[in-house]
């Protein structure tokens, strides 16, 4: 039995979800690919231990967030625009919201961005998010609160999304 048995199947089954998380963290499709690839290289080295007594997806997600937070330099730094695109250029308000939200996320610190991605896109609980980030639940709560406040500040046009009762309740 090969100690990498199941790794290929895991990657094929979870690649899109992991890539989505990497993209939401980095804001750049190329950096997201680099992030996921570097994490998967590390994961394959621990694969036999993970399949025996661990949760490969949770480990991979945690490794990805940790790698993203610890990156000292980027090949291509994000340069978000301060101005959202003209409303008339898009017929779908949801498309504009996604663009503005992506730009606003780029203005958050890495830990705050990671908290927002894990809590709202990955739909992790506070406890699960704390476990991935290696911090206390209280830290997740405060980081979420501060990140949402910062998003309201840098993207007031998204207030209709950020003041959603579900998001507000989750942030408390």
């Amino acid at each position: 039995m090969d100690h990498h048995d199941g790794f290929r199947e895991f990657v094929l089954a979870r690649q899109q979800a992991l890539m989505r998380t990497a993209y939401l963290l980095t804001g750049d499709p190329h950096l997201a690919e680099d992030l996921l690839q570097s994490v998967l290289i590390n994961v394959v080295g621990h694969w036999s231990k993970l399949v025996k007594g661990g949760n490969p997806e949770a480990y991979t997600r945690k490794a990805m967030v940790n790698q993203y937070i610890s990156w000292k330099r980027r090949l291509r730094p994000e340069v978000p625009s301060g101005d959202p695109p003209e409303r008339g250029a898009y017929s779908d308000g949801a498309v504009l919201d996604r663009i503005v939200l992506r730009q606003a996320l780029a203005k958050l610190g890495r830990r705050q961005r990671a908290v927002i991605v894990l809590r709202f896109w990955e739909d992790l609980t506070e406890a699960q998010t704390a476990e991935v980030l290696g911090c206390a639940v209280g830290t997740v709560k405060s980081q979420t609160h501060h990140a949402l406040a910062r998003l309201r500040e840098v993207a007031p046009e998204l207030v209709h999304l950020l003041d959603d009762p579900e998001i507000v309740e989750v942030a408390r």
Side-chain angles (χ1 to χ4, degrees), residues 22-82:
Y23 175 74
L24 289 167
L25 289 169
T26 64
D28 178 280
H30 302 291
L31 287 175
E33 289 174 2
D34 292 346
L35 175 62
L36 182 56
Q37 182 178 3
S38 68
V39 167
L40 289 176
I41 288 168
N42 292 331
V43 168
V44 75
H46 300 286
W47 187 251
S48 59
K49 294 177 198 169
L50 289 173
V51 293
K52 286 181 185 172
N55 181 339
E57 186 167 358
Y59 179 89
T60 304
R61 187 183 303 118
K62 182 173 184 167
M64 190 168 15
V65 169
N66 289 339
Q67 176 84 21
Y68 165 73
I69 290 172
S70 70
W71 273 358
K72 297 293 184 206
R73 61 184 189 136
R74 293 179 166 194
L75 299 174
R76 287 180 241 153
E78 291 182 43
V79 184
S81 167

Side-chain angles (χ1 to χ4, degrees), residues 79-148:
V79 184
S81 167
D83 300 316
E86 297 281 329
R87 276 216 183 260
Y90 300 95
S91 60
D92 183 2
V95 172
L96 180 60
D97 286 346
R98 285 193 300 273
I99 292 168
V100 173
L101 183 57
R102 190 178 74 226
Q103 291 172 344
L105 282 172
K107 295 176 182 176
L108 295 178
R110 291 177 185 243
R111 276 201 161 294
Q112 287 182 352
R113 186 172 179 157
V115 165
I116 294 296
V117 168
L118 293 171
R119 292 286 289 127
F120 299 109
W121 275 275
E122 291 299 318
D123 201 26
L124 298 183
T125 65
E126 289 169 342
Q128 291 168 325
T129 302
E131 184 178 330
V132 169
L133 294 174
C135 65
V137 172
T139 302
V140 170
K141 289 180 181 183
S142 67
Q143 288 287 319
T144 302
H145 173 77
H146 294 299
L148 290 175

